[in-house]
């Protein structure tokens, strides 16, 4: 299976596998957030498109295109080919500069990098039918208030993932009582007991609990009390492929 990436300029932005690290996660004692496997997997399940240069953008709160002023860190002749005020009303538009083509039935979600926090501006999310679309899309961010923001060179401005969008329509949500699934109920209750016991031991200063620091059932793909194990498909590290020249 290939994700075809057609550059639309001579020097398109770098396209790289999603990276796990986040500054705010690094700032925690013992880098605690990295113990949350769902965070790590979200950060790395896709590809980042990186800013080719650093710039600041300031919005005065007005509705016109001219109400956003974009200033690159140094003179950039191609600045308007990358970042512009196009849609007005505080929306900043950035150009990934790729035309993507996915296999039939697969679409692309373009968004900000998961868990990459930016103050004053919010990434907008789009789902694009890249299995037929013959032209590129834009990546848009909206100011959450008047003010100045910046993107650094090499910072991700767009994060892309792919999914079988028609398959999603086939999913039928069904609400059932947990008691209707005795196996799952037993697994949940065993987990809850071990979780409560562990937290009690940790709060009381139990040295073994303190040494363990956190329970790794989900991270390791295990279930408590030998009630079973996660399927072979369980993973705790995502490795997306680097683009290659075709």
């Amino acid at each position: 299976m290939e994700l075809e990436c057609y550059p639309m300029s001579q020097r398109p932005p770098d396209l790289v596998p999603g990276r796990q690290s986040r500054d705010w996660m690094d700032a925690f004692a013992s880098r605690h957030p990295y113990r949350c496997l769902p965070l790590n997997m979200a950060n790395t399940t896709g590809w980042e498109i990186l800013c080719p240069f650093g710039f600041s953008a300031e919005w005065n709160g007005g509705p016109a295109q001219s109400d956003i002023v974009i200033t690159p860190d140094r003179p950039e002749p191609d600045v308007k080919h990358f970042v512009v005020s196009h849609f007005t009303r505080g929306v900043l538009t950035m150009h990934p500069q790729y035309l993507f083509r996915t296999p039939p039935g697969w679409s692309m979600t373009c968004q900000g990098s998961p868990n990459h926090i930016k103050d004053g501006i919010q990434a907008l999310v789009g789902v694009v039918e890249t299995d037929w679309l013959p032209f590129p899309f834009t990546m848009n961010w909206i100011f959450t208030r008047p003010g100045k923001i910046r993107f650094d060179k090499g910072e991700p401005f767009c994060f892309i993932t792919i999914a079988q969008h028609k398959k999603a329509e086939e999913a039928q949500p069904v609400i059932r009582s947990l008691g209707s699934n005795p196996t799952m109920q037993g697994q949940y209750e065993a987990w809850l007991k071990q979780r409560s016991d562990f937290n009690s031991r940790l709060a009381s200063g139990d040295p073994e609990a303190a040494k363990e620091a956190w329970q790794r059932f989900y991270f390791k793909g295990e279930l408590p009390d030998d009630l079973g194990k996660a399927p072979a498909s369980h993973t705790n590290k995502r490795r997306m492929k680097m683009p290659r020249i075709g």
Side-chain angles (χ1 to χ4, degrees):
M1 176 174 172
E2 291 185 345
L3 168 60
E4 297 177 292
C5 314
Y6 298 94
M8 294 285 100
S9 67
Q10 291 297 316
R11 294 184 299 170
D14 289 339
L15 174 66
V16 301
R19 295 167 292 184
Q20 184 184 77
S21 62
R22 299 289 184 269
D23 289 344
W24 68 268
M25 295 171 72
D26 291 337
F28 272 71
S30 302
R31 302 171 80 236
H32 184 81
Y34 291 105
R35 298 173 183 175
C36 179
L37 183 56
L39 282 180
N40 295 336
M41 297 299 287
N43 292 353
T44 55
T45 303
W47 294 266
E48 298 173 341
I49 307 178
L50 310 181
C51 290
F53 54 82
F55 70 92
S56 63
E58 186 169 7
W59 181 46
N60 64 15
Q65 287 181 334
S66 58
D67 290 321
I68 296 179
V69 176
I70 299 165
T71 307
D73 290 351
R74 56 182 56 87
E76 293 287 346
D78 297 331
V79 63
K80 290 186 177 180
H81 293 158
F82 172 60
V83 56
V84 293
S85 173
H86 177 69
F87 290 110
T88 72
R89 297 193 175 275
V91 175
L92 189 69
T93 296
M94 304 168 79
H95 295 275
Q97 299 178 34
Y98 288 93
L99 171 57
F100 295 102
R101 179 53 51 89
T102 46
W106 289 76
S107 66
M108 177 173 287
T109 299
C110 57
Q111 61 185 62
S113 281
N115 306 307
H116 180 69
I117 312 301
K118 291 193 72 66
D119 183 43
I121 197 166
Q122 171 68 42
L124 301 179
V125 182
V127 176
V128 186
E129 292 183 357
T130 44
D131 56 351
W132 67 267
L133 192 71
F135 50 85
F137 55 78
T138 59
M139 177 65 204
N140 296 286
W141 294 70
I142 188 167
F143 280 83
T144 57
R145 62 178 181 274
K148 180 183 287 188
I149 60 90
R150 69 166 285 108
F151 281 84
D152 294 321
K153 180 179 180 180
E155 180 178 352
F157 71 91
C158 183
F159 187 89
I160 57 172
T161 60
I162 58 175
Q164 290 181 289
H165 59 102
K166 288 296 183 181
K167 289 290 186 182
E169 297 175 10
E170 298 175 9
Q172 174 60 64
V174 180
I175 299 173
R176 298 189 175 104
S177 69
L178 186 58
S180 68
N181 188 331
T183 299
M184 181 177 289
Q185 183 178 28
Q187 292 173 338
Y188 167 73
E189 290 174 351
W191 169 84
L192 183 62
K193 182 179 183 302
Q194 290 213 14
R195 179 79 165 185
S196 298
D197 290 347
F198 175 78
N199 285 337
S200 296
R201 289 190 295 114
L202 194 63
S204 67
D206 183 288
E208 289 301 315
K211 183 179 179 181
E212 188 176 349
W214 56 292
Q215 291 182 303
R216 297 170 173 82
F217 291 128
Y218 182 53
F219 204 96
K220 295 168 66 176
E222 297 175 346
L223 294 170
D225 288 349
D226 297 323
L227 286 175
K229 61 180 180 180
S233 59
H234 170 74
T235 181
N236 58 24
K237 190 169 186 178
R238 182 74 72 208
R239 297 176 178 86
M240 307 301 283
K241 298 183 184 301
M242 278 291 294
R244 61 173 175 80
I245 303 299

